[in-house]
Amino acid sequence: RMVAQRIARDLRRDDVVARLGGDEFAVILKGITARSEAMQVCAKLIESFSTAFSVEGHDFFVTASIGVAFFPEDAEDGKMLTRNADTAMYQAKIAGKNAFELFLPAMNANVRKRVSLEGCLRYALEKGELTLHYQPKVDLMGGKLLGFEALLRWNSPEHGNVSPADFIPIAEETGLIVPIGEWVI
């Protein structure tokens, strides 16, 4: 309730706030004619969350990840508008949270790729697609072998050789890093 009240406090009288479920809210800004106006509202909302919420003597800080889509430029109907705003919100979360992103059509391809990678990664361990490569660590001055560094690699039948920079963050975000780490050990 406190989050909804804070959002509503920073909007105009004709704007609409709705809780979609969990920690997701939708805001409809009526009469916005320029993207810069929406960006100002987003910045104001994010700033409003910089102040703690006080609940029973405890302070809680909440971040906001905001996705913005415009009608009719970004969508033909409400369902597509919501989906595209959600896609932009997902990009804002990837960017580090407490941020906003405006929807771009290219985002759909990025999200589809990420969702596909996540789905494939869920089965990569049991299908034997993950491998370890050991790279020697050598003292360059004396030429003495100091040990080995274990490097995790993923060769996906669907995506080819996937960079650790692409799949490790997904593994961490989804909790898959735990079974992968156990397998590595």
Side-chain angles (χ1 to χ4, degrees):
R1 255 185 287 146
M2 293 170 74
V3 169
Q5 289 169 352
R6 194 169 293 183
I7 293 170
R9 176 191 75 194
D10 290 333
L11 298 177
R12 302 165 301 175
R13 174 171 286 155
D14 290 340
D15 296 332
V16 177
V17 179
R19 181 172 171 256
L20 299 178
D23 63 350
E24 264 192 89
F25 292 84
V27 174
I28 299 173
L29 303 174
K30 296 181 180 178
I32 295 289
T33 57
R35 291 182 181 268
S36 60
E37 291 177 79
M39 292 168 66
Q40 288 173 348
V41 172
C42 292
K44 185 176 181 182
L45 287 171
I46 288 172
E47 175 63 29
S48 76
F49 284 98
S50 65
T51 305
F53 288 86
S54 184
V55 179
E56 297 180 5
H58 299 283
D59 286 344
F60 295 92
F61 288 90
V62 175
T63 60
S65 298
I66 302 172
V68 180
F70 294 89
F71 180 82
E73 300 94 301
D74 296 328
E76 298 171 358
D77 58 37
K79 187 175 182 177
M80 183 184 286
L81 187 68
T82 302
R83 189 185 77 224
N84 290 346
D86 196 51
T87 297
M89 178 195 66
Y90 188 73
Q91 291 296 119
K93 286 184 178 191
I94 291 170
K97 299 183 182 178
N98 221 27
F100 65 89
E101 289 284 341
L102 304 182
F103 174 77
L104 298 170
M107 288 178 176
N108 280 331
N110 292 340
V111 169
R112 278 193 300 273
K113 180 182 178 191
R114 185 174 173 87
V115 168
S116 177
L117 276 175
E118 180 182 332
C120 291
L121 184 58
R122 291 192 177 279
Y123 300 102
L125 191 58
E126 66 188 55
K127 291 180 177 180
E129 296 172 8
L130 298 177
T131 58
L132 286 176
H133 294 260
Y134 295 95
Q135 177 173 299
K137 294 174 76 176
V138 178
D139 177 355
L140 294 178
M141 298 299 280
K144 182 179 177 187
L145 180 65
L146 300 174
F148 291 91
E149 181 178 19
L151 304 173
L152 183 63
R153 298 293 182 251
W154 177 25
N155 187 5
S156 165
E158 186 174 329
H159 298 282
N161 287 320
V162 183
S163 168
D166 291 334
F167 75 84
I168 295 294
I170 294 171
E172 289 173 341
E173 290 169 20
T174 60
L176 291 170
I177 198 71
V178 174
I180 290 171
E182 290 171 350
W183 175 82
V184 167
I185 291 171

